[in-house]
Structure formats: C-alpha cells, structure tokens
Amino acid sequence: ATGGALRGINLEYSPERIVQSSDGFLKTEPYEPKVLKQHSEAQPDTDKVDGERYLKTVIYFMIKATDYEFPPFQTYHAFAANMQERLLCEEVLYVSDTATESHYTPDNWRNTGAQIVGTILVDMTWLREKNVIKPMEPVPGSMAVRLCRVEYELVSVAKKTQIEV
C-alpha cells in the first residue's frame, strides 16, 4: 500500500507498479473428488433440480498481470421446467491478492482474503420464449424434476487492470 502512495506522489520518477491480483468466477462444478483433489476437501450439495451432486461455490482463478485472454470455460444454470419466472443467470466475480488455485470453495483457507467485486446478470428467458431450450426429463428413479438447462461459455479478457467478459 505504501508503494502505491509513493508512486502517486511522483509518477514521473517512481517505478511502474505491476498488478498481480487474481480474478475468479464462482462456478458450479460436478462433484468429482477422484478427478479433482480440491473437491475432496469440501462437502457437495445435491441439486434439487437435477438430483446430481455439485460443489456450488468453486472459484476459477485467473492471474491478472498483463493483457491476456483467458481460456473460455463452460458454465450452466438449471431451472425447474415448470418455473414461470425469468431465467436469470448470475456470475459472481471475485478478486484476491493471494489466491491463485482453481476448484476450491470460497471458504477454503486457500481463498482467505478473496472478495466479491461484482456480478454479471444475464437474462436468458428468451431461450424459453423462442423454444431454443426444451425441458429435460429426469433420470428414472431419481429425486430430480423436469428442468431447463442454460449453457454458455464465459470468456474473460484482462486489459491492464480491467476484466472484460
């Protein structure tokens, strides 16, 4: 913090500061403790819509130091098929000066200091209204209900100290 204050006093002769924080999105991932060791440290939730087990609070961190386009990652949101409300998909953005590892829950010690810095809310109701998505039937014998699943790729681009999505 003092380096930033000193730089602010004399921009012409002070060294350039390099931003090295990490940004991450809250991401729902299928619970796979045999594939991802990070999952073995958390308790999954069973989704009431599809009956599958997930870690709903996993952060996907991206180190932000220069201009960079991060690899896109698949994200989805499931809604009960009989739901008449709007299909609102919310993405939550975190920032941290220390956390850099993906697939840990926000309350894991590795994410100490991570803070929510914003959200992106996307209204996908038009997909249902234009019949682009169809209800999916639950697996026979499961506790799941008919659902609509909205899937898309989230692409982030770091430009200096800003993230574009």
Side-chain angles (χ1 to χ4, degrees), residues 15-163:
E16 186 175 332
R17 293 189 73 196
I18 298 172
V19 177
Q20 291 187 333
S21 61
S22 298
D23 292 307
F25 284 98
L26 202 60
K27 187 173 188 270
T28 300
E29 293 185 321
Y31 181 62
E32 298 179 311
K34 293 178 181 171
V35 176
L36 294 167
K37 67 176 176 59
Q38 300 93 321
H39 286 194
S40 64
E41 297 182 23
Q43 290 298 315
D45 292 319
T46 300
D47 190 280
K48 292 177 182 153
V49 177
D50 69 9
E52 297 294 323
R53 295 190 324 162
Y54 295 95
L55 285 181
K56 296 184 179 190
T57 54
V58 176
I59 297 177
Y60 175 85
F61 273 106
M62 307 164 287
I63 298 172
K64 180 175 67 175
T66 59
D67 289 356
Y68 182 74
E69 183 170 330
F70 299 96
F73 66 89
Q74 195 74 18
T75 187
Y76 78 93
H77 298 269
F79 302 93
N82 63 354
M83 186 179 96
Q84 294 305 308
E85 290 89 33
R86 304 193 73 67
L87 303 180
L88 299 176
C89 302
E90 182 179 53
E91 306 300 338
V92 180
L93 180 63
Y94 280 77
V95 69
S96 174
D97 290 335
T98 57
T100 59
E101 297 181 62
S102 297
H103 310 292
Y104 288 103
T105 58
D107 60 357
N108 186 287
W109 66 268
R110 289 169 185 85
N111 291 327
T112 300
Q115 299 175 1
I116 295 174
V117 292
T119 59
I120 300 166
L121 193 61
V122 182
D123 188 343
M124 296 293 212
T125 307
W126 66 273
L127 292 171
R128 181 178 59 209
E129 291 169 350
K130 302 236 186 249
N131 291 320
V132 174
I133 57 174
K134 303 281 187 217
M136 298 168 55
E137 296 300 325
V139 175
S142 73
M143 298 294 289
V145 298
R146 290 181 73 218
L147 63 94
C148 290
R149 185 173 166 132
V150 176
E151 296 184 47
Y152 53 92
E153 282 189 343
L154 193 58
V155 180
S156 301
V157 178
K159 292 194 176 179
K160 304 260 183 250
T161 60
Q162 304 296 315
I163 289 282

